[in-house]
Amino acid sequence: MALNITIPAASLAVGAHTFGPGAIPAGLSHAMLTLDTTPYDALPGPTLDFKAELSQDSGVSFPITLATAKYVPPNGSLHGVQQHTTSFVVDLPGVSPAGNTWRIRATIIVSNQSYDPVNTGSLAVT
Amino acid sequence: MAIAHVAAWTAAQFNNVSTGTNTARASTTNNFMAVGVTINNNALFSSIATTSNTLTQRAPASGWQNTGGDSIRIYAAEGITGAASHTVTVNTSSNAFFVVCASEYSGLATSGAFDQIAGAGVSGAGTSFDSGATPTTTRANELLVGYGDQDAGGNGSFVAGASFNVRSSIGTAASGSTGALEDRIVSATGAYNGLMSSSGFTGPTGWDMLIATFADVALAASNTEFGSRTNIPNPHVGPMTLRQGWRQPPIYAVNLAPITDTNFGPPTRVPNNRVGPVVLRQFYRRPSLSFDTTNARSAATGTPVLCGGILNSAIVRSGGIVA
């Protein structure tokens, strides 16, 4: 069974915002963090740093940063198609074992506006 | 020490972002690091960096391999400085879609390991990748690093070519670019192809494949010219300055024959009755001398000298004084 941590639509204040953690079921191998960066209004989209972090001690600490990325408006295009979704995909450090104490969380860091609109997003482990 | 695979960094796909850093892992000093990169628009690529080390582009020799759509490169760092938290970061000038795959090896030369490359791609359907053959490798014991990408939709996976092992790969084409890094360790010289295939993708529209080879010992410097060629004029064989510490630039048109009978500088007319000191313009040739005696006069009588003079080696051809 996959794990899905929802990132709700919100206006995020400057600073770090954490979503999760969630327990990783056994037998999963990679994580995908996705954010819908479509602007709510005519304002420029947000500049965001985002990352997925992994704990192997039931969430006491998150020493493993699976990946980090920076989104800067405007959106890029893939094969000529304008994109409004920002994401990264990265493998877990091996397949999650049965009875594991792994936890995963997403962090979004807002740095350029007082409040940045972020549409829905998710951190999916499959 | 034989060449061996140590471990791979987790492959990472970054979509619609301007900076992406993969998962950190510990690396060991003096090992070797190979990195494959895919990007959907290479004009947006700015830089690639890795913790405490410098990555050098190895394949293709310049630019990108991008026949099939997305663009790919192989980078390498030889004799790395190890780090407990070693990452690779790609920066782009604007949001882009890119993939980073990396792997660490031991047993390679800590410098001068890079040997041969090949690359190819196809625009259109196809799931079997072939870089084409490298020139014959220099050393028997070499590491072959292959990197390929599939332009397609959906999600798929990569399958190593014969005798290769895929170490790091991303096949989620539905959300962005793809890529797979593979390797093969050989023990004989030869012309090697980077081979790989893919499966499970939707509607493949192209692929690209690169291979780069790296040796277990430093390869001798090739016979490379440094600086521009300079013709040395005859007969001026002057001092030569080495432009590099260990290679002498090629020398062309050096004539070691005896110096020929050559005039240096134009003849100089000596004013009437004023044969002053003569300065040779060169060390070993005296300029031709000629005297204009047209208006010379006898010092005793003041009678003009009608003709006379000295030409070459003080030979008086004719002359006299008319009283």
Side-chain angles (χ1 to χ4, degrees), chain A residues 94-118:
Chain A
V95 177
S96 54
N100 72 73
T101 56
W102 291 12
R103 302 289 186 275
I104 194 168
R105 71 182 185 186
T107 299
I108 301 173
I109 301 170
V110 179
S111 57
N112 70 326
Q113 293 178 204
S114 296
Y115 293 92
D116 267 339
V118 175

Short mmCIF file of all heavy atoms in Angstrom, two decimals, chain A residues 94-118:
data_model
loop_
_atom_site.label_atom_id
_atom_site.label_comp_id
_atom_site.label_asym_id
_atom_site.label_seq_id
_atom_site.Cartn_x
_atom_site.Cartn_y
_atom_site.Cartn_z
N GLY A 94 16.77 1.95 -0.77
CA GLY A 94 16.38 0.55 -0.75
C GLY A 94 14.88 0.40 -0.55
O GLY A 94 14.17 1.37 -0.27
N VAL A 95 14.40 -0.80 -0.69
CA VAL A 95 12.97 -1.09 -0.49
C VAL A 95 12.69 -1.08 1.01
O VAL A 95 13.43 -1.67 1.80
CB VAL A 95 12.61 -2.45 -1.10
CG1 VAL A 95 11.14 -2.78 -0.83
CG2 VAL A 95 12.90 -2.45 -2.60
N SER A 96 11.62 -0.37 1.40
CA SER A 96 11.32 -0.28 2.83
C SER A 96 11.01 -1.67 3.39
O SER A 96 10.16 -2.39 2.86
CB SER A 96 10.15 0.67 3.04
OG SER A 96 9.04 0.26 2.26
N PRO A 97 11.69 -2.06 4.46
CA PRO A 97 11.49 -3.41 5.00
C PRO A 97 10.24 -3.51 5.86
O PRO A 97 9.71 -2.49 6.33
CB PRO A 97 12.76 -3.62 5.85
CG PRO A 97 13.16 -2.25 6.25
CD PRO A 97 12.77 -1.33 5.13
N ALA A 98 9.77 -4.72 6.09
CA ALA A 98 8.63 -4.94 6.98
C ALA A 98 9.04 -4.54 8.40
O ALA A 98 10.16 -4.75 8.85
CB ALA A 98 8.22 -6.41 6.93
N GLY A 99 8.09 -3.95 9.13
CA GLY A 99 8.36 -3.55 10.50
C GLY A 99 9.32 -2.40 10.63
O GLY A 99 9.93 -2.20 11.69
N ASN A 100 9.47 -1.62 9.57
CA ASN A 100 10.46 -0.53 9.59
C ASN A 100 9.97 0.64 10.45
O ASN A 100 8.79 0.73 10.81
CB ASN A 100 10.76 -0.06 8.17
CG ASN A 100 9.63 0.73 7.57
OD1 ASN A 100 9.38 1.88 7.95
ND2 ASN A 100 8.90 0.12 6.63
N THR A 101 10.89 1.49 10.76
CA THR A 101 10.56 2.70 11.52
C THR A 101 10.80 3.94 10.67
O THR A 101 11.19 4.99 11.15
CB THR A 101 11.42 2.77 12.80
OG1 THR A 101 12.80 2.70 12.42
CG2 THR A 101 11.09 1.63 13.74
N TRP A 102 10.58 3.79 9.37
CA TRP A 102 10.85 4.89 8.45
C TRP A 102 9.69 5.88 8.46
O TRP A 102 8.52 5.51 8.53
CB TRP A 102 11.02 4.36 7.02
CG TRP A 102 12.27 3.55 6.79
CD1 TRP A 102 13.12 3.05 7.76
CD2 TRP A 102 12.79 3.10 5.55
NE1 TRP A 102 14.13 2.33 7.19
CE2 TRP A 102 13.96 2.35 5.82
CE3 TRP A 102 12.40 3.26 4.23
CZ2 TRP A 102 14.72 1.76 4.81
CZ3 TRP A 102 13.15 2.68 3.22
CH2 TRP A 102 14.32 1.94 3.51
N ARG A 103 10.03 7.14 8.37
CA ARG A 103 9.04 8.21 8.25
C ARG A 103 9.52 9.16 7.15
O ARG A 103 10.72 9.32 6.93
CB ARG A 103 8.91 9.01 9.56
CG ARG A 103 8.52 8.16 10.77
CD ARG A 103 7.06 7.70 10.69
NE ARG A 103 6.64 7.00 11.91
CZ ARG A 103 6.85 5.70 12.14
NH1 ARG A 103 7.46 4.95 11.22
NH2 ARG A 103 6.44 5.14 13.26
N ILE A 104 8.57 9.80 6.52
CA ILE A 104 8.93 10.75 5.47
C ILE A 104 8.10 12.01 5.63
O ILE A 104 6.96 11.96 6.10
CB ILE A 104 8.73 10.14 4.06
CG1 ILE A 104 9.42 10.99 2.99
CG2 ILE A 104 7.26 9.91 3.76
CD1 ILE A 104 9.50 10.30 1.64
N ARG A 105 8.68 13.14 5.30
CA ARG A 105 7.96 14.41 5.39
C ARG A 105 8.41 15.32 4.25
O ARG A 105 9.49 15.14 3.68
CB ARG A 105 8.21 15.08 6.74
CG ARG A 105 9.60 15.63 6.92
CD ARG A 105 9.78 16.24 8.30
NE ARG A 105 11.10 16.86 8.43
CZ ARG A 105 11.59 17.37 9.56
NH1 ARG A 105 10.87 17.31 10.67
NH2 ARG A 105 12.78 17.92 9.60
N ALA A 106 7.57 16.30 3.96
CA ALA A 106 7.89 17.30 2.94
C ALA A 106 8.04 18.65 3.61
O ALA A 106 7.32 18.96 4.57
CB ALA A 106 6.79 17.36 1.89
N THR A 107 8.97 19.44 3.12
CA THR A 107 9.16 20.80 3.64
C THR A 107 9.15 21.78 2.47
O THR A 107 9.85 21.56 1.47
CB THR A 107 10.49 20.92 4.41
OG1 THR A 107 10.45 20.02 5.51
CG2 THR A 107 10.69 22.34 4.92
N ILE A 108 8.34 22.83 2.61
CA ILE A 108 8.30 23.90 1.61
C ILE A 108 8.80 25.17 2.28
O ILE A 108 8.34 25.52 3.37
CB ILE A 108 6.87 24.12 1.08
CG1 ILE A 108 6.34 22.83 0.43
CG2 ILE A 108 6.83 25.28 0.08
CD1 ILE A 108 4.89 22.92 0.03
N ILE A 109 9.74 25.82 1.66
CA ILE A 109 10.32 27.05 2.21
C ILE A 109 9.95 28.21 1.30
O ILE A 109 10.31 28.23 0.11
CB ILE A 109 11.84 26.93 2.34
CG1 ILE A 109 12.19 25.75 3.24
CG2 ILE A 109 12.43 28.23 2.90
CD1 ILE A 109 13.66 25.40 3.23
N VAL A 110 9.21 29.17 1.85
CA VAL A 110 8.79 30.36 1.11
C VAL A 110 9.74 31.49 1.45
O VAL A 110 10.01 31.74 2.63
CB VAL A 110 7.34 30.76 1.47
CG1 VAL A 110 6.92 32.01 0.71
CG2 VAL A 110 6.40 29.61 1.18
N SER A 111 10.25 32.16 0.44
CA SER A 111 11.26 33.17 0.74
C SER A 111 11.04 34.52 0.08
O SER A 111 11.66 35.51 0.45
CB SER A 111 12.64 32.66 0.31
OG SER A 111 12.64 32.33 -1.05
N ASN A 112 10.13 34.64 -0.89
CA ASN A 112 10.09 35.89 -1.64
C ASN A 112 8.87 36.75 -1.44
O ASN A 112 8.82 37.86 -1.89
CB ASN A 112 10.25 35.61 -3.14
CG ASN A 112 9.03 34.94 -3.72
OD1 ASN A 112 8.39 34.14 -3.04
ND2 ASN A 112 8.71 35.25 -4.96
N GLN A 113 7.85 36.25 -0.78
CA GLN A 113 6.66 37.05 -0.55
C GLN A 113 6.15 36.77 0.86
O GLN A 113 6.47 35.74 1.46
CB GLN A 113 5.54 36.70 -1.54
CG GLN A 113 5.84 37.06 -2.99
CD GLN A 113 4.73 36.65 -3.92
OE1 GLN A 113 4.95 36.45 -5.08
NE2 GLN A 113 3.52 36.52 -3.40
N SER A 114 5.35 37.68 1.36
CA SER A 114 4.78 37.44 2.69
C SER A 114 3.88 36.21 2.68
O SER A 114 3.91 35.38 3.59
CB SER A 114 3.98 38.67 3.14
OG SER A 114 4.84 39.77 3.30
N TYR A 115 3.07 36.13 1.63
CA TYR A 115 2.19 34.98 1.52
C TYR A 115 2.23 34.48 0.08
O TYR A 115 1.97 35.25 -0.84
CB TYR A 115 0.75 35.33 1.93
CG TYR A 115 0.64 35.64 3.39
CD1 TYR A 115 0.75 36.95 3.84
CD2 TYR A 115 0.44 34.61 4.31
CE1 TYR A 115 0.64 37.22 5.20
CE2 TYR A 115 0.35 34.89 5.67
CZ TYR A 115 0.45 36.20 6.11
OH TYR A 115 0.37 36.47 7.43
N ASP A 116 2.57 33.26 -0.08
CA ASP A 116 2.62 32.69 -1.41
C ASP A 116 1.54 31.64 -1.56
O ASP A 116 1.42 30.73 -0.74
CB ASP A 116 3.99 32.05 -1.65
CG ASP A 116 4.94 33.03 -2.31
OD1 ASP A 116 4.45 34.00 -2.90
OD2 ASP A 116 6.14 32.81 -2.22
N PRO A 117 0.75 31.76 -2.61
CA PRO A 117 -0.27 30.75 -2.82
C PRO A 117 0.32 29.46 -3.35
O PRO A 117 1.13 29.47 -4.29
CB PRO A 117 -1.18 31.39 -3.86
CG PRO A 117 -0.28 32.30 -4.62
CD PRO A 117 0.76 32.78 -3.66
N VAL A 118 0.02 28.37 -2.74
CA VAL A 118 0.41 27.06 -3.23
C VAL A 118 -0.84 26.23 -3.39
O VAL A 118 -1.60 26.07 -2.44
CB VAL A 118 1.37 26.36 -2.24
CG1 VAL A 118 1.67 24.95 -2.72
CG2 VAL A 118 2.64 27.16 -2.09
#
